[in-house]
Amino acid sequence: MKRLFVPDDVTTPYSGQDKNVRLLQYANASATENFDAYLTHHAIVFILAGVKQINVSHSKFRINPGELFLIPKGEYVMSEYIAGEHGFQSVMLFFNQKVARYIVQQLNETVPEALTEMKKKEAIKIIPNNPEIQSLFHSLVSYSKENSPFLCEMIRLKFMELIYLLLDGHYRQTIISFLLDAARYETPTIVVVLEKYLYSSHTLEELAKLSGRSLSSFKREFAQEYGEAPQTWIRKKSWNGRHSCLKLRIRA
């Protein structure tokens, strides 16, 4: 199974690109494909063809063609893509905390009463088929095929159009809740990351990414928290036999 940090491992912002909102398309003609992914940005994903099954936060979800789903930064996802008659195709829009805060600020000025009805935080939110949303994503696909110098601006505008479509429909509180969670996102502590991922087969580099830090920052904060370098601490844990199931791979 492939392990990816999405979209960081998949897309690299190029000169002139809006780094706050990114577009990623995925297509696969094969029957099935599995991915093990960690989200480095908040994501809005639309399924054009095929079916996507995901496991996240100990829950299983099935997303069908025409459905939209929202998933926050920081979630670790096991995905299976099931190709249909036209293979599997999805369009993903990724955005960062800066964008979420900007939209929440705009909402606070226009519909402040809507921000008072908070829903319970969820790992994933699914929105059923909607003709207007489907048309928007098809237009995004068309735009991305053109070699236009205005593509980045088009992506940004389509992203905002999507947000306003959702805010103006039956799922307003769903998208508001999602945006509020994104705006309030906090980087997990080193302790939280170790408690969650230490006994999986992650490298130090991957643990650093999971914590939202560079490798050097991760090592520095680890030493401050535990009083020694992560490699030393891990070796001691393995050596004394108290953690015989330790699988963390250490790279020199």
Side-chain angles (χ1 to χ4, degrees):
M1 180 181 291
K2 299 178 182 178
R3 177 182 293 150
L4 296 173
F5 287 79
V6 181
D8 286 358
D9 284 350
V10 183
T11 64
T12 302
Y14 49 85
S15 178
Q17 182 180 2
D18 185 349
K19 298 179 182 179
N20 298 316
V21 179
R22 298 198 218 174
L23 172 70
L24 175 63
Q25 296 182 60
Y26 179 81
N28 194 324
S30 64
T32 61
E33 187 170 13
N34 296 329
F35 283 97
D36 194 4
Y38 173 81
L39 293 190
T40 58
H41 290 62
H42 307 288
I44 301 178
V45 184
F46 184 78
I47 307 300
L48 289 165
V51 173
K52 181 169 184 172
Q53 295 184 158
I54 63 174
N55 292 315
V56 55
S57 296
H58 308 293
S59 297
K60 184 178 291 186
F61 303 90
R62 178 185 175 93
I63 302 98
N64 298 304
E67 291 184 334
L68 185 78
F69 71 97
L70 319 172
I71 186 165
K73 174 181 177 178
E75 291 293 345
Y76 200 69
V77 182
M78 296 178 66
S79 300
E80 180 180 7
Y81 303 92
I82 303 174
E85 182 180 351
H86 303 289
F88 179 87
Q89 299 177 61
S90 66
V91 181
M92 294 161 268
L93 285 166
F94 297 95
F95 66 99
N96 59 20
Q97 188 178 45
K98 179 180 178 180
V99 172
R101 286 179 172 173
Y102 169 78
I103 298 172
V104 168
Q105 181 182 359
Q106 298 302 305
L107 292 175
N108 193 46
E109 295 174 359
T110 54
V111 285
E113 68 280 359
L115 302 181
T116 61
E117 302 175 15
M118 275 293 293
K119 287 190 172 184
K120 181 181 178 182
K121 185 174 182 178
E122 300 173 318
I124 185 171
K125 305 173 193 289
I126 300 175
I127 296 176
N129 196 326
N130 178 296
E132 290 181 306
I133 292 175
Q134 187 168 8
S135 176
L136 184 148
F137 276 97
H138 279 289
S139 67
L140 263 176
V141 172
S142 298
Y143 289 146
S144 63
K145 291 179 181 178
E146 301 173 7
N147 188 23
S148 170
F150 307 110
L151 178 58
C152 294
E153 184 63 13
M154 289 177 179
I155 292 171
R156 187 188 68 80
L157 290 172
K158 281 296 178 181
F159 172 79
M160 292 306 300
E161 181 184 350
L162 172 63
I163 295 297
Y164 288 124
L165 272 175
L166 291 169
L167 288 171
D168 201 37
H170 297 296
Y171 294 91
R172 184 168 79 164
Q173 279 309 128
T174 298
I175 188 64
I176 285 178
S177 177
F178 179 63
L179 290 169
L180 283 172
D181 287 342
R184 297 168 180 171
Y185 177 82
E186 295 183 0
T187 301
T189 66
I190 298 289
V191 174
V192 168
V193 172
L194 285 177
E195 287 177 350
K196 190 172 183 179
Y197 297 110
L198 183 60
Y199 299 109
S200 59
S201 57
H202 290 85
T203 65
L204 286 181
E205 290 85 348
E206 288 170 341
L207 284 177
K209 287 185 178 181
L210 289 166
S211 72
R213 296 164 173 82
S214 65
L215 180 58
S216 59
S217 295
F218 179 83
K219 289 181 177 180
R220 182 172 60 253
E221 290 187 36
F222 190 103
Q224 292 172 351
E225 180 69 35
Y226 293 97
E228 54 191 348
Q231 296 95 328
T232 304
W233 186 84
I234 291 165
R235 288 193 184 100
K236 285 182 179 179
K237 290 292 183 182
S238 302
W239 179 260
N240 63 26
R242 284 182 292 176
H243 298 288
S244 58
C245 61
L246 192 66
K247 296 180 181 179
L248 183 64
R249 290 176 283 132
I250 304 174
R251 288 180 179 169

